[in-house]
Amino acid sequence: MRQPADVAQSANEMLRRRENQHTLGFARKRGIALVRGRGARVYDADGGEYIDCTAGHGVAGPGHPPPEGVARIAEQAATLMTCQDAMPNNVRAEFVERLVDFLPDGLDRVFLCNSGTEAVEAALKLARLSTQRSGIVAATRAFHGRTFGALSATWREEFKRGVGPLVPGFEHVAFGNLEALAELLCEDHAALILEVVQGEGGVHVIDGDYLRAAQQLCLERGVLLILDEVQTGFCRTGARFACQRYGVTPDLLCMGKGIASGVPMGAVAAGPRVEAPPPGSHGSTFGGNPLACAAGLATLEVMERQKLDERVRELGGWWITRLSAIEHRAISEVRGAGLMVAVELRTRVAPIIDALAERGVLALSAGPRVLRFLPPLVIGRADLEAVATHLEQVLAELGGGGRS
Ligand SMILES: Cc1ncc(COP(=O)(O)O)c(C=O)c1O
């Protein structure tokens, strides 16, 4: 599938060098420069074609680019691209109405921003403002973003190294351990923040009983429940939002990634326990700009019309079974929900990701030994079957087949 190019003349390599020369290097760049996409396929600068199991880190739900979205975004770009928060706007008004309809019942006020991290920051501030308390409890292995508030809630030490001091008032409790939570949570805490499926932390699905009991503890102790659905929202797990799989509606729901199919956008939605914030206590120049709102509207339309939640539920069920059927002792576990699925390995994941790319499959890691698949939600079963076959072949080349 992939067209190998002579490295010296490779357009991929040239683009990598140009970007490396003039960017700060936070991201280690791979040797594949993506220049075009269609549906669940992406194409590199040398003409190589890939089945995309990254969706730009879980963003391109309706595919690359969402066909209906393009016209709408282009039309909005030609009409009005920016409009400050203090001025109402027709597209924004329509988007917030449609978004509230799409959300779990009871979440009927939203704040629009530009990324998942910003949604988390806004939720943390809203929780402190609303409760007049400062403590925040997050989970071990959590990932909530990289700005100071969100980073303070994030677990992995390597993301925090050298940039402290972080924001005071944050504590971590073992993910899924109800006893530990019951012991910790108290009247000092403004919020408990959780992911329903921990994404960057290795694709760990929350236990439904734990989530419901944690919500009950929050209610009893006057603590707000923030669910970070930046990665799991917008049909990724086979429900519009992963919390709906467990019948739990949080006080604050954080959104990002799939909300606008690739145009930068984030949002936080609030329920009735969240007090209205004082005017001016938070804001964003670009948040809720008409261009992003047009992309958000197009995204919601595709999700509703194509019933992507149902599609992902069905396809995701088959996909996890298909991956679980691969017999190789390098695999220790297959887990996930919908089209957010991971294969935990007994070996380093980086060479597997490279070998898959050589075969025309783009995949992600979620830690050093976890292979993660986050394809566009419109991917076909045949493409996923091809991915599974390539993985089998890559593992076979490693040697040592058979279950352990
Ligand atoms: C659960 C979760 N929260 C927050 C973020 C941060 O989102 P962004 O990178 O859009 O700022 C991410 C990103 O991966 C995430 O997975």
Side-chain angles (χ1 to χ4, degrees):
M1 185 180 285
R2 195 168 164 233
Q3 318 279 312
D6 180 343
V7 172
Q9 292 168 23
S10 155
N12 283 331
E13 191 48 35
M14 252 138 64
L15 289 173
R16 172 155 75 162
R17 281 196 206 130
R18 282 169 64 194
E19 284 204 21
N20 274 343
Q21 197 172 353
H22 295 295
T23 53
L24 278 162
F26 283 124
R28 226 173 278 124
K29 292 191 191 291
R30 297 173 67 176
I32 299 167
L34 299 182
V35 293
R36 195 163 60 82
R38 190 167 186 83
R41 301 281 172 122
V42 284
Y43 301 85
D44 73 20
D46 291 315
E49 180 179 3
Y50 303 84
I51 301 173
D52 181 19
C53 288
T54 71
H57 261 274
V59 171
H64 293 287
E68 300 83 347
V70 175
R72 189 153 201 164
I73 294 165
E75 193 188 318
Q76 190 57 44
T79 308
L80 185 69
M81 280 212 266
T82 192
C83 172
Q84 62 271 48
D85 215 4
M87 305 285 201
N89 167 264
N90 55 330
V91 186
R92 190 192 297 136
E94 188 183 346
F95 176 63
V96 293
E97 282 168 4
R98 292 289 296 273
L99 181 59
V100 163
D101 280 349
F102 191 80
L103 283 163
D105 287 346
L107 299 175
D108 53 12
R109 294 168 296 158
V110 297
F111 169 74
L112 301 177
C113 51
N114 313 287
S115 68
T117 304
E118 285 182 45
V120 170
E121 292 289 341
L124 295 172
K125 283 175 81 172
L126 280 161
R128 283 184 166 179
L129 286 165
S130 179
T131 59
Q132 299 290 298
R133 300 171 176 189
S134 61
I136 306 286
V137 177
T140 52
R141 284 197 310 244
F143 184 86
H144 297 292
R146 298 168 188 268
T147 53
F148 278 103
L151 186 62
S152 304
T154 288
W155 168 250
R156 235 160 81 193
E157 208 38 57
E158 66 184 89
F159 293 137
K160 309 181 187 182
R161 206 166 293 139
V163 300
L166 298 179
V167 179
F170 284 73
E171 291 166 89
H172 287 84
V173 67
F175 182 70
N177 184 333
L178 191 61
E179 256 173 51
L181 184 66
E183 204 165 301
L184 181 68
L185 211 60
C186 68
E187 64 281 358
D188 295 339
H189 294 126
L192 167 68
I193 180 166
L194 294 171
E195 292 157 272
V196 184
V197 183
Q198 293 188 316
E200 303 307 304
V203 188
H204 295 277
V205 183
I206 208 162
D207 177 76
D209 289 338
Y210 168 79
L211 181 57
R212 284 184 287 270
Q215 179 172 49
Q216 188 56 36
L217 277 178
C218 284
L219 277 169
E220 287 163 11
R221 300 182 190 185
V223 177
L224 296 175
L225 176 64
I226 303 174
L227 290 183
D228 179 348
E229 292 237 28
V230 166
Q231 193 161 144
T232 51
F234 297 93
C235 305
R236 170 60 57 191
T237 69
R240 287 181 175 185
F241 294 91
C243 60
Q244 293 169 310
R245 294 162 51 102
Y246 305 105
V248 170
T249 301
D251 299 299
L252 290 154
L253 182 86
C254 302
M255 296 163 267
K257 291 196 187 280
I259 188 171
S261 301
V263 175
M265 185 175 234
V268 58
R273 293 176 76 219
V274 180
E275 301 285 338
S281 55
H282 195 55
S284 164
T285 297
F286 292 124
N289 75 78
L291 192 66
C293 288
L297 275 170
T299 306
L300 293 180
E301 268 161 30
V302 175
M303 292 198 165
E304 283 173 354
R305 193 160 24 76
Q306 296 190 13
K307 295 192 170 57
L308 285 186
D309 50 350
E310 288 172 24
R311 176 177 203 280
V312 169
R313 199 155 53 238
E314 201 183 306
L315 189 60
W318 170 82
W319 175 227
I320 205 162
T321 309
R322 174 66 183 88
L323 287 174
S324 303
I326 298 178
E327 301 219 338
H328 197 281
R329 77 169 65 115
I331 295 180
S332 60
E333 193 182 14
V334 177
R335 56 176 181 257
L339 288 176
M340 180 173 182
V341 175
V343 178
E344 173 127 22
L345 300 164
R346 294 194 175 88
T347 177
R348 283 192 326 114
V349 70
I352 309 274
I353 288 179
D354 288 344
L356 284 171
E358 281 299 314
R359 291 167 165 273
V361 174
L362 294 186
L364 293 166
S365 63
R369 288 170 187 268
V370 177
L371 178 64
R372 178 172 41 151
F373 298 106
L374 286 181
L377 308 179
V378 293
I379 195 166
R381 187 182 282 216
D383 273 352
L384 288 177
E385 177 56 45
V387 171
T389 304
H390 284 303
L391 179 60
E392 282 168 339
Q393 287 163 357
V394 164
L395 290 172
E397 281 162 19
L398 266 185
R403 289 233 183 265
S404 61

